[in-house]
Amino acid sequence: MDKLGKRTMLLVYALIIIVPMLTVIFSTLKTTSEMYANPIGLPETLNIENYIQIFNETSMGTYFKNSVIVTIVSVFFTLFFASLIAYAITRMSPWKGGIVFGLFTIGMMVPAQVNMIPLYSLIYSLDLTNTLSGLMIVNISVTLPVAVFILTGFMKTIPKELFEACTIDGANNWQVYRRIAIPLSLPSLSATAIFLFVMHWNDLLYPLLFITKDEYKTLPLALLEFQGQYMTNYPMLFTGVMIASAPMIIAYIFLQRYFIAGMTAGSVKG
């Protein structure tokens, strides 16, 4: 009975996920009139006109490119700075490391909405509004505390004897970081990278706050164009959602083993 109950719960959970997903996929193959006439039914024909139209009639290629650039650069520099900070915290004395770690932890507690006005004032004063570089700087600064929190927790599980042995052999801090800390932290780095990728790729708040020109819009912000005051073009909106979701789905399929390894790394001490 216990096994049957678990399977039933898993089946219900799977249906909760699969049914809306299939509805979105089928809606991308419908016309607007067909969508409103039969919103949850199968499409009459496999019509890919929405996918062709969204690239021909909108700047979807530009939006996609902007999202790729912002996400990749933001993830790379967030991981780089966070790994340096996490390594430094683990090499500090306990009380100094605790203070630095505590400051970044406090940064996680501040809601994003609280920072909107000061952030906008800062970015505006630096003349970085309507630029991808300004958006990337904000992304890195906002997600850095989360990345430091995750990576510090893992690096603390690395035996300090490894660092000390490498130092005795004549390696400086940069060499210890590059040859010991980073290779041993690859599972945690991979998991953090996937987590950051999803955050940056799906971010709507900061592009909505800092970007107004079409040539700098990212995918989440561009999807708002399909929503009108009196009517929403749901087939085109769902088509954009599918295009925006495809990179995340593909990335997770190929990197899921690293994600699972990163989530479990350090949970069991040898």
Side-chain angles (χ1 to χ4, degrees):
M1 183 63 182
D2 185 48
K3 184 179 293 186
L4 179 61
K6 290 180 180 179
R7 290 181 177 179
T8 303
M9 291 179 62
L10 288 175
L11 178 61
V12 172
Y13 179 72
L15 290 174
I16 292 174
I17 296 175
I18 293 173
V19 172
M21 184 183 300
L22 290 178
T23 302
V24 171
I25 295 173
F26 291 152
S27 297
T28 65
L29 305 175
K30 298 177 182 178
T31 62
T32 303
S33 58
E34 186 182 354
M35 167 67 190
Y36 281 103
N38 187 14
I40 61 174
L42 295 174
E44 296 178 1
T45 59
L46 295 179
N47 182 13
I48 61 171
E49 184 63 30
N50 289 327
Y51 290 92
I52 299 173
Q53 184 180 351
I54 200 171
F55 280 101
N56 290 340
E57 298 184 4
T58 68
S59 302
M60 184 58 64
T62 301
Y63 304 148
F64 191 90
K65 180 189 70 175
N66 291 340
S67 286
V68 170
I69 293 172
V70 170
T71 301
I72 290 178
V73 174
S74 299
V75 170
F76 175 81
F77 281 103
T78 302
L79 284 179
F80 176 67
F81 292 134
S83 60
L84 284 174
I85 296 168
Y87 171 71
I89 290 173
T90 58
R91 297 303 304 273
M92 291 178 179
S93 60
W95 70 271
K96 288 182 180 179
I99 292 175
V100 175
F101 183 72
L103 290 174
F104 281 97
T105 304
I106 292 173
M108 295 172 55
M109 301 177 184
V110 181
Q113 291 78 7
V114 175
N115 295 325
M116 288 172 60
I117 295 177
L119 267 178
Y120 184 83
S121 299
L122 177 61
I123 297 299
Y124 182 81
S125 64
L126 295 174
D127 197 24
L128 290 175
T129 55
N130 284 312
T131 63
L132 296 182
S133 56
L135 189 56
M136 289 184 285
I137 291 172
V138 172
N139 284 343
I140 294 168
S141 62
V142 168
T143 56
L144 188 61
V146 180
V148 170
F149 181 83
I150 297 173
L151 294 178
T152 301
F154 177 81
M155 285 193 183
K156 283 184 177 179
T157 65
I158 301 176
K160 291 185 178 180
E161 289 78 10
L162 290 176
F163 297 147
E164 294 171 357
C166 200
T167 303
I168 292 173
D169 288 340
N172 55 36
N173 278 327
W174 172 252
Q175 291 172 327
V176 176
Y177 162 80
R178 184 168 57 88
R179 296 179 181 178
I180 301 296
I182 292 301
L184 292 177
S185 302
L186 282 179
S188 184
L189 284 168
S190 301
T192 308
I194 296 173
F195 179 70
L196 293 174
F197 179 86
V198 173
M199 290 182 64
H200 293 315
W201 186 266
N202 290 330
D203 181 43
L204 175 63
L205 175 63
Y206 295 116
L208 188 63
L209 189 62
F210 300 117
I211 305 296
T212 57
K213 295 182 179 179
D214 287 343
E215 59 264 34
Y216 300 114
K217 287 183 177 179
T218 56
L219 277 175
L221 184 58
L223 292 178
L224 296 179
E225 294 181 0
F226 303 112
Q227 294 181 337
Q229 183 177 0
Y230 301 106
M231 183 176 179
T232 299
N233 189 345
Y234 284 107
M236 291 292 285
L237 177 61
F238 289 153
T239 302
V241 170
M242 286 302 301
I243 294 172
S245 302
M248 289 188 295
I249 296 172
I250 294 172
Y252 183 76
I253 289 174
F254 286 100
L255 298 175
Q256 60 178 320
R257 66 188 183 95
Y258 297 105
F259 181 77
I260 296 171
M263 289 293 97
T264 58
S267 59
V268 179
K269 293 184 178 180

